[in-house]
């Protein structure tokens, strides 16, 4: 999705701080065309559940790749609005409410999970996602270069980890989001994310447990409001 489309959909302010630099999809590629298609569908006011459906004749890997870049940019912008509140002092562990705590490991440079603060964890996570997006063997940008056989498996790991940022923000910083008047933007972004991962079964249900109440409400009522029990 282009910056202008994201600004339109999520009401983001010009010059708004992002946690990580926005990723762009190279023009002239089919993935860029797909991104424009997704942008046009969302910009038309179409239902989000319809907007995430795979267009006829399109490759699932390409569609997933487009949306991973999109969600990375959305989360980077949304988290960027509350970084002043998410500090080592206020968030000494990466959690999503009292029942869920995340320890960082990427399976490569950090093989044994380490306990760290939320801002440190999210920095590790978003940097790791950036590295995946920049890996031409995983996210090929050149025409005719196929996706690797393990692409969807890696994509599921990326989306599972990106979900954890939403979970932390909802549980630990929702009052901050309200104070900044970003509630509608956060809810719209998460609803979009939820419908996408459900459409293609990309994140296991057990991983979604920290926000299951919110997810159920979004799906059953199509509401963008926040359930009282999941702050």
């Amino acid at each position: 999705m282009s910056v202008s489309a994201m600004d339109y959909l999520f009401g983001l302010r010009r010059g708004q701080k992002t946690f990580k630099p926005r990723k762009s999809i190279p023009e002239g590629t089919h993935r860029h065309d797909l991104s424009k298609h997704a942008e046009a569908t969302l910009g038309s006011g179409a239902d989000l559940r319809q907007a995430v459906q795979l267009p006829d004749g399109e490759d699932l890997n390409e569609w997933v790749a487009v949306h991973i870049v999109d969600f990375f940019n959305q989360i980077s912008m949304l988290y960027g609005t509350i970084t002043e509140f998410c500090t080592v002092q206020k968030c000494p562990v990466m959690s999503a409410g009292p029942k869920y705590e995340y320890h960082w490991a990427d399976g490569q440079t950090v093989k044994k999970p380490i306990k760290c603060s939320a801002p440190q964890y999210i920095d590790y996570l978003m940097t790791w996602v950036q590295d995946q997006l920049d890996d031409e063997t995983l996210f090929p940008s050149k025409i005719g270069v196929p996706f690797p056989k393990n692409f969807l498996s890696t994509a599921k790991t990326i989306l599972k980890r990106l979900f954890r940022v939403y979970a932390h923000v909802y549980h630990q910083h929702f009052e901050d989001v309200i104070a900044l008047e970003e509630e509608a933007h956060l809810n719209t972004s998460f609803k979009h994310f939820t419908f996408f991962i459900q459409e293609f079964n990309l994140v296991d249900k057990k991983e979604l447990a920290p926000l299951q109440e919110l997810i159920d409400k979004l799906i059953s009522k199509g509401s963008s409001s926040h359930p009282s029990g999941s702050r």
Side-chain angles (χ1 to χ4, degrees):
M1 184 184 294
S2 71
V3 170
S4 58
M6 291 175 69
D7 289 350
Y8 168 81
L9 183 60
F10 299 106
L12 298 165
R13 298 182 294 273
R14 185 177 299 278
Q16 180 169 319
K17 177 183 177 182
T18 62
F19 181 64
K20 294 289 183 182
R22 294 179 179 183
K23 300 295 293 183
S24 60
I25 297 174
E27 292 188 20
T29 63
H30 183 59
R31 198 172 306 156
H32 186 266
D33 294 338
L34 274 181
S35 179
K36 286 293 185 181
H37 173 86
E39 170 190 337
T41 305
L42 288 166
S44 70
D47 178 81
L48 281 174
R49 190 176 286 286
Q50 293 180 331
V52 301
Q53 293 174 359
L54 181 67
D56 290 342
E58 294 297 347
D59 178 64
L60 176 60
N61 289 343
E62 287 278 8
W63 192 236
V64 171
V66 164
H67 282 79
I68 285 177
V69 172
D70 187 4
F71 293 131
F72 172 83
N73 286 334
Q74 290 180 33
I75 290 169
S76 183
M77 284 188 283
L78 289 164
Y79 183 68
T81 65
I82 57 98
T83 50
E84 65 183 292
F85 307 106
C86 188
T87 63
V88 174
Q89 292 74 28
K90 293 181 180 179
C91 301
V93 296
M94 176 62 177
S95 61
K99 296 181 180 179
Y100 302 96
E101 182 176 315
Y102 301 111
H103 295 179
W104 176 252
D106 60 14
Q108 297 170 330
T109 56
V110 183
K111 295 184 178 181
K112 184 178 180 180
I114 58 173
K115 185 174 182 177
C116 53
S117 67
Q120 189 173 28
Y121 183 101
I122 294 172
D123 186 49
Y124 285 147
L125 187 160
M126 297 296 278
T127 298
W128 176 82
V129 174
Q130 275 187 316
D131 290 342
Q132 309 312 300
L133 297 178
D134 290 339
D135 185 346
E136 280 288 327
T137 65
L138 185 59
F139 283 81
S141 61
K142 295 179 181 178
I143 297 174
V145 178
F147 284 87
K149 293 181 179 180
N150 68 333
F151 174 74
L152 279 181
S153 175
T154 303
K156 289 178 180 180
T157 300
I158 292 172
L159 291 165
K160 175 182 72 175
R161 291 176 176 174
L162 287 176
F163 167 81
R164 295 171 181 176
V165 183
Y166 283 117
H168 178 74
V169 171
Y170 269 111
H171 277 282
Q172 312 303 138
H173 297 289
F174 196 69
E175 296 299 334
D176 301 321
V177 171
I178 291 175
L180 293 168
E181 300 182 344
E182 297 286 349
E183 177 184 1
H185 311 150
L186 172 62
N187 287 335
T188 301
S189 176
F190 183 63
K191 187 175 182 179
H192 184 200
F193 179 89
T194 298
F195 283 172
F196 185 77
I197 62 173
Q198 288 192 335
E199 177 73 15
F200 303 105
N201 193 27
L202 295 170
V203 179
D204 289 342
K205 186 177 177 66
K206 65 180 182 180
E207 294 287 342
L208 304 175
L211 293 180
Q212 193 60 57
E213 182 184 352
L214 173 57
I215 291 169
D216 291 344
K217 186 168 185 177
L218 289 175
I219 292 168
S220 64
K221 298 182 179 179
S223 171
S224 63
S225 62
H226 189 286
S228 60
S230 64
R231 293 190 184 182

